[in-house]
Amino acid sequence: MRPRDCYARPAVIDDDVRATLESAARGEGTLLALTGAGISAESGIPTFRGKEGYWTVGSREYHPQQMATHAAFTRMPREVWRWYLYRRTVCNAAQPNAGHRALVEADHTFTDRFVLVTQNVDGLHLRAGSPPARTLQIHGNIDFMRCADECSITLYPVPPEIGPKTRDDDLSDDELALLRCPSCGKPTRPHVLWFDESYDEELFRAASALHAAADAELLLVVGTAGATNLPLQIAAVVARAGRPIIDVNVEDNPFAQAAREYGGHALRGSAAQLLPKLVAALAAARPAC
Ligand code: NAD
Ligand code: ZN
């Protein structure tokens, strides 16, 4: 079946999907959810695919994949900080939606059988109520900064004196002075994983995420385009183990292809619409203690 045909009918939680959820709920392995920018799109936070993501410096337009790099930070730290402080303002103004809340419900129902891996830096899962211990923020969190000179891996909240920023707001010298490492006085950087950097466990919980994938009974992928490495690796580990993938997305993507190829389900629809239904079906199948 061609991908478009597969999406020709609106996604419903049909008997096949329900059977996959029931079998996963009855198993003993980890119920793993992997989220991307799509789950926060309905909260008003743009994904990296729309034109809202572009950032202008002088006469040049930069794509997010150019701004979110160590190379850009080295060349123009003030501009990169301006971009992050603007995006942080957008994230902080947003509220969790029904998709985030459904994953909190899944956590409450399955407690330590449930693990959430998120690529989002917006902190909305935590604000919705997902517990920090089982929420692996593999790309960091935009509300935090750390020493750019790596004197330690301590995370510091972005100082509250730095208020909301519009796209046009400048960063004053006083504000730049606040963005200094409290320990060594050198500049800080946003606590995010940039496209030209590598995952690790201490800062980004990468090994924990792969461990959860190896234990997974089911992988539920939500709103991610698969442009980054660890999420693709997670899906490959789950598929190799013969466990199903359920993909929720408004468009086709590599996880949907893997779901179709390895006996899972590619559901076309929005996260806020579909997740409450999927989680309700999963929770209903939970065996009584
Ligand atoms: P992406 O922007 O590359 O892709 C977003 C995906 O979400 C697409 O596949 C799109 O079809 C899908 N989508 C859009 N609206 C949806 C909806 N309502 N329901 C379900 N799916 C929907 O994002 P990505 O794959 O997460 O990765 C890019 C990088 O961007 C990551 O490193 C992430 O940290 C960063 N990012 C984070 C945020 C955030 O924290 N909210 C926002 C933008 C980018
Ligand atoms: Zn320092």
Side-chain angles (χ1 to χ4, degrees), residues 146-152 156 180-188:
R146 59 181 209 270
C147 182
D149 201 45
E150 299 180 349
C151 76
S152 79
Y156 303 101
R180 295 227 153 230
C181 172
S183 175
C184 74
K186 297 220 169 108
T188 57

Side-chain angles (χ1 to χ4, degrees), residues 36-38 40-42 45-49 119-122 139 223-226 249-251 269-271:
S40 295
E42 286 161 288
I45 302 177
T47 68
F48 269 179
R49 293 153 63 86
Q119 296 167 83
N120 295 344
V121 297
D122 55 35
H139 291 170
T224 179
N249 201 308
V250 293
E251 282 179 6
S270 93

Side-chain angles (χ1 to χ4, degrees), residues 34-238:
L34 166 65
T35 64
I39 194 174
S40 295
E42 286 161 288
S43 291
I45 302 177
T47 68
F48 269 179
R49 293 153 63 86
K51 61 175 187 305
E52 302 98 325
Y54 282 85
W55 189 253
T56 310
V57 182
S59 59
R60 242 193 104 171
E61 281 219 314
Y62 289 88
H63 188 266
Q65 299 219 3
Q66 296 170 301
M67 287 301 284
T69 60
H70 194 272
F73 183 73
T74 306
R75 230 176 33 252
M76 44 180 190
R78 199 178 190 121
E79 279 301 327
V80 171
W81 257 123
R82 270 189 67 215
W83 185 57
Y84 275 99
L85 292 172
Y86 163 66
R87 289 182 54 217
R88 172 176 170 261
T89 305
V90 173
C91 293
N92 289 354
Q95 298 303 325
N97 64 49
H100 299 100
R101 288 192 293 274
L103 295 178
V104 177
E105 186 59 35
D107 183 90
H108 287 170
T109 306
F110 292 95
T111 59
D112 54 9
R113 267 194 77 199
F114 187 76
V115 175
L116 171 57
V117 171
T118 186
Q119 296 167 83
N120 295 344
V121 297
D122 55 35
L124 283 186
H125 286 301
L126 298 180
R127 279 171 52 204
S130 287
R134 292 195 286 271
T135 304
L136 313 182
Q137 300 179 110
I138 58 169
H139 291 170
N141 184 314
I142 204 161
D143 281 319
F144 292 84
M145 59 187 200
R146 59 181 209 270
C147 182
D149 201 45
E150 299 180 349
C151 76
S152 79
I153 57 161
T154 307
L155 304 184
Y156 303 101
V158 171
E161 295 87 339
I162 300 186
K165 294 279 180 197
T166 68
R167 264 181 178 276
D168 299 325
D169 282 343
D170 253 330
L171 195 55
S172 69
D173 289 340
D174 286 349
E175 286 172 322
L176 213 52
L178 289 168
L179 296 171
R180 295 227 153 230
C181 172
S183 175
C184 74
K186 297 220 169 108
T188 57
R189 53 166 288 171
H191 171 54
V192 294
L193 182 75
W194 283 326
F195 284 104
D196 52 357
E197 294 181 315
S198 311
Y199 289 100
D200 72 6
E201 173 63 15
E202 277 183 311
L203 287 168
F204 299 108
R205 314 281 309 271
S208 299
L210 282 172
H211 183 77
D215 264 1
E217 193 75 49
L218 168 75
L219 174 62
L220 180 58
V221 183
V222 187
T224 179
T228 52
N229 185 263
L230 183 58
L232 293 171
Q233 254 182 288
I234 288 172
V237 168
V238 173

Side-chain angles (χ1 to χ4, degrees), residues 20 23 213-214 216-219 235-245 262-264:
T20 301
S23 154
E217 193 75 49
L218 168 75
L219 174 62
V237 168
V238 173
R240 262 204 307 276
R243 300 299 187 193
I245 296 173
Y262 295 100

